[in-house]
Each structure stands twice: as C-alpha cells, then as structure tokens.
C-alpha cells in the first residue's frame, strides 16, 4: 500500500493505492481522505457519488482475501447494482463460500483454445462495455492489479462514462 499527498479542489488529499506507478495513481485508487479532517472523499469526481455502480473483479488478480475490501471500496462511490468476479472455471468451487459471503456472482471464463490475449480481461471489458451502453448513468468499477485496464478505463471516461479502478 502506497500513499501520495496532493491538493485537489482545496482539500489536502491522501490517496491510498496499491501500485507504485504514480502517473496512474488517480485511476488505481478509490479511497481518498481529507487529511486535515479525516473525511472520506471517495466521490470527488464530478457528481458521480451515489450513482449506481457495476463492479467487475479480475479473479486472476484479486482473490477471496480481498473480496470484502474490494466490495466496500467500490460501494463508497454508490450503491452496487452489479457485483461480478471473473475467473477460470476451477475457481468457482474453491471460492464459493467467499463469493457468497461478499455477494459476488462468479462468471466462469474458459481458457480453452485461446490463441491471443487474456480471455479474463476480454470478458471483463466486454461486460463493462455492454453495461455502459445498456445502463446509462451506471458507474463502472474494475478491481484488478493489471495495468492493462488503464487504457480501457480512460476510453470509458473519454466517452463520458464514470469509470474507475479499485
């Protein structure tokens, strides 16, 4: 866990991030605090606080140990309408109790016959893209440690969709 201090809109903000790449820190964090007052500022970005959120977890990167914290972090931005974890079929049974406890729906992503790219990443992109088109106003949250999603999140934001990484 890394910390970065900076000023935003007159607040002294501390971002908590799980990567060391400060250039993308604002995309890779969800929890922001006003250091002076200790106030949670999770929704500082343009009126998106309390709009419904669709959370997509990359099960190749985020495991059961982090499910509850991930769900809680995404919920700081608004009510969670969709909570899905994507992963290989063999994770479904071993993760069943953690998935149920966190209220996550498991999406099995088959790896058979894959020639190029990560099928899990593509399944998450497809689901997020679909939800962003079909449910206007829905915020898209992607929980991953994979930097491959930065460009995708920037693309969603460029289309006017509130999208963030957890």
């Amino acid at each position: 866990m890394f910390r970065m201090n900076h000023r935003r809109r007159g607040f002294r903000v501390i971002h908590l991030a799980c990567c060391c790449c400060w250039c993308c820190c604002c995309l890779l964090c969800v929890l922001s605090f006003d250091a002076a007052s200790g106030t949670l500022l999770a929704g500082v970005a343009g009126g998106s606080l309390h709009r419904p959120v669709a959370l997509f977890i990359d099960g190749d990167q985020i495991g059961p140990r982090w499910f509850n914290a991930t769900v809680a972090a995404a919920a700081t931005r608004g009510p969670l309408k969709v909570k899905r974890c994507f992963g290989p079929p063999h994770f479904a049974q071993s993760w069943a109790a953690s998935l149920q406890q966190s209220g996550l729906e498991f999406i099995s992503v088959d790896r058979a016959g894959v020639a190029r790219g990560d099928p899990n990443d593509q399944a998450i992109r497809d689901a997020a893209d679909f939800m962003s088109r079909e449910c206007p106003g829905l915020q898209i949250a992607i929980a991953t440690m994979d930097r491959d999603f930065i460009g995708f999140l920037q693309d969603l934001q460029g289309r006017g969709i509130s999208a963030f990484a957890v």
Side-chain angles (χ1 to χ4, degrees):
M1 186 77 57
F2 297 90
R3 290 170 49 125
M4 181 180 82
N5 294 314
H6 69 93
R7 294 198 178 274
R8 181 194 289 175
R9 296 185 188 175
F11 293 101
R12 181 169 167 250
V13 177
I14 298 172
H15 282 287
L16 302 176
C18 53
C19 83
C20 59
C21 178
W22 298 121
C23 64
C24 58
C25 175
C26 290
L27 280 175
L28 293 175
C29 64
V30 150
L31 299 177
S32 300
F33 299 90
D34 176 357
S37 68
T39 306
L40 181 64
L41 301 172
V44 267
S48 59
L49 187 61
H50 300 300
R51 288 191 357 221
V53 176
L55 171 62
F56 302 106
I57 298 175
D58 182 352
D60 289 344
Q61 302 289 325
I62 307 291
R65 175 179 177 198
W66 299 104
F67 287 168
N68 287 333
T70 301
V71 168
T76 64
R77 292 285 297 261
L80 297 177
K81 297 299 182 184
V82 175
K83 298 185 290 185
R84 295 184 181 147
C85 179
F86 293 75
H90 65 274
F91 284 1
Q93 187 174 9
S94 61
W95 288 5
S98 295
L99 290 162
Q100 183 178 16
Q101 180 188 28
S102 301
L104 292 166
E105 174 187 1
F106 186 77
I107 306 298
S108 179
V109 180
D110 193 13
R111 273 44 172 174
V114 175
R116 270 182 37 178
D118 184 336
N120 210 53
D121 289 3
Q122 190 57 51
I124 292 169
R125 284 187 189 99
D126 290 347
D129 198 43
F130 175 81
M131 293 299 289
S132 69
R133 284 192 322 270
E134 297 300 315
C135 303
L138 185 69
Q139 299 183 81
I140 303 296
I142 299 178
T144 186
M145 300 285 282
D146 189 346
R147 293 171 52 164
D148 292 345
F149 284 101
I150 293 172
F152 177 67
L153 289 169
Q154 290 172 332
D155 177 58
L156 289 173
Q157 291 170 345
R159 295 182 349 214
I161 298 160
S162 178
F164 60 98
V166 178

